[in-house]
Amino acid sequence: EAQVTQNPRYLITVTGKKLTVTCSQNMNHEYMSWYRQDPGLGLRQIYYSMNVEVTDKGDVPEGYKVSRKEKRNFPLILESPSPNQTSLYFCASSYSYGPNTEAFFGQGTRLTVV
Amino acid sequence: EDQVTQSPEALRLQEGESSSLNCSYTVSGLRGLFWYRQDPGKGPEFLFTLYSAGEEKEKERLKATLTKKESFLHITAPKPEDSATYLCAVCFGNEKLTFGTGTRLTIIP
């Protein structure tokens, strides 16, 4: 089954404790991205990757890091989480990017930073 | 700045009561407009892509239309299982997706 898998689904952590949210896709997609979803703000892109070893900032990259060492994996790293990073996070993948692309989303990771 | 606005924020309909959701955008080179459905606790699921004014696409009880400034998602004779948040996203000249905040649709049996 074609899917994007995120882990964990739920996470509660304390301020400053480094964490990683994993994302893996089994569709051999070139393009992967991370979004956060907050009430009243919609989905906002954090980082994206157009291929292995190619990553770039989205609209809200501050406080986040990513890496793309393998095509299927695109982890999101919070080196020193803060309460304003409490949010619902989604990983997405697509065969390409731009207007001809259908994005597949993971199930989401609900992160709470206290 | 490119913007995407969805209305209404929330909509409650009786089962079988048809209606429309709106997605308006300020254009800086529209490349494509997407509709997604999001169920509680899940990621968005792709529904349609529209590329040019006058284009229409249908899927079951849903029909999406596009003009030069907005898109409508028409829901005909909805059922309770159509309850979800419907997201609009627009691809502008920079080829990134800009999402609206969504319309939360509730269909009452």
Side-chain angles (χ1 to χ4, degrees):
Chain A
E1 179 189 355
Q3 60 185 4
V4 178
T5 304
Q6 294 179 228
N7 280 297
R9 293 289 313 278
Y10 302 91
L11 180 59
I12 301 175
T13 190
V14 297
T15 299
K17 185 177 181 181
K18 181 179 179 181
L19 66 91
T20 299
V21 183
T22 63
C23 173
S24 180
Q25 51 93 4
N26 63 359
M27 294 167 279
N28 201 35
H29 283 166
E30 303 276 336
Y31 188 82
M32 297 185 74
S33 57
W34 276 101
Y35 291 88
R36 61 179 289 173
Q37 187 175 38
D38 301 289
L41 295 177
L43 280 160
R44 293 179 293 166
Q45 191 179 58
I46 302 170
Y47 268 94
Y48 64 95
S49 169
M50 287 194 268
N51 212 327
V52 175
E53 303 293 359
V54 180
T55 63
D56 207 348
K57 297 177 181 178
D59 298 315
V60 287
E62 294 76 23
Y64 304 95
K65 286 176 58 177
V66 293
S67 69
R68 187 93 180 271
K69 293 182 169 53
E70 302 168 284
K71 197 173 187 178
R72 63 182 291 125
N73 296 323
F74 190 45
L76 179 70
I77 303 156
L78 284 72
E79 295 267 357
S80 182
S82 61
N84 64 12
Q85 293 179 296
T86 292
S87 187
L88 180 58
Y89 292 86
F90 289 100
C91 179
S93 77
S94 53
Y95 79 89
S96 184
Y97 70 102
N100 298 314
T101 301
E102 167 190 347
F104 293 80
F105 284 82
Q107 294 281 66
T109 295
R110 186 167 292 282
L111 172 66
T112 302
V113 183
V114 297
Chain B
E1 180 183 335
D2 299 327
Q3 283 193 320
V4 181
T5 304
Q6 291 189 248
S7 62
E9 286 187 20
L11 181 63
R12 290 171 63 90
L13 299 172
Q14 293 290 330
E15 183 173 0
E17 180 185 1
S18 302
S19 188
S20 297
L21 313 183
N22 178 262
C23 172
S24 63
Y25 52 90
T26 57
V27 175
S28 171
L30 176 70
R31 301 289 305 281
L33 185 141
F34 299 77
W35 283 98
Y36 284 84
R37 169 189 171 129
Q38 186 175 21
D39 292 299
K42 295 190 175 182
E45 180 182 339
F46 173 80
L47 291 173
F48 305 108
T49 309
L50 301 167
Y51 296 104
S52 57
E55 189 176 359
E56 298 183 353
K57 288 193 176 173
E58 289 189 63
K59 182 179 180 178
E60 296 181 355
R61 295 175 292 281
L62 300 176
K63 183 169 81 171
T65 62
L66 181 65
T67 71
K68 288 186 177 180
K69 293 291 185 183
E70 59 192 348
S71 175
F72 292 93
L73 185 65
H74 306 279
I75 302 176
T76 302
K79 299 181 178 181
E81 53 262 43
D82 295 322
S83 296
T85 296
Y86 290 85
L87 303 174
C88 168
V90 181
C91 181
F92 294 111
N94 59 11
E95 302 202 332
K96 287 171 57 177
L97 284 184
T98 300
F99 280 86
T101 53
T103 294
R104 187 171 67 254
L105 177 66
T106 304
I107 308 301
I108 305 163

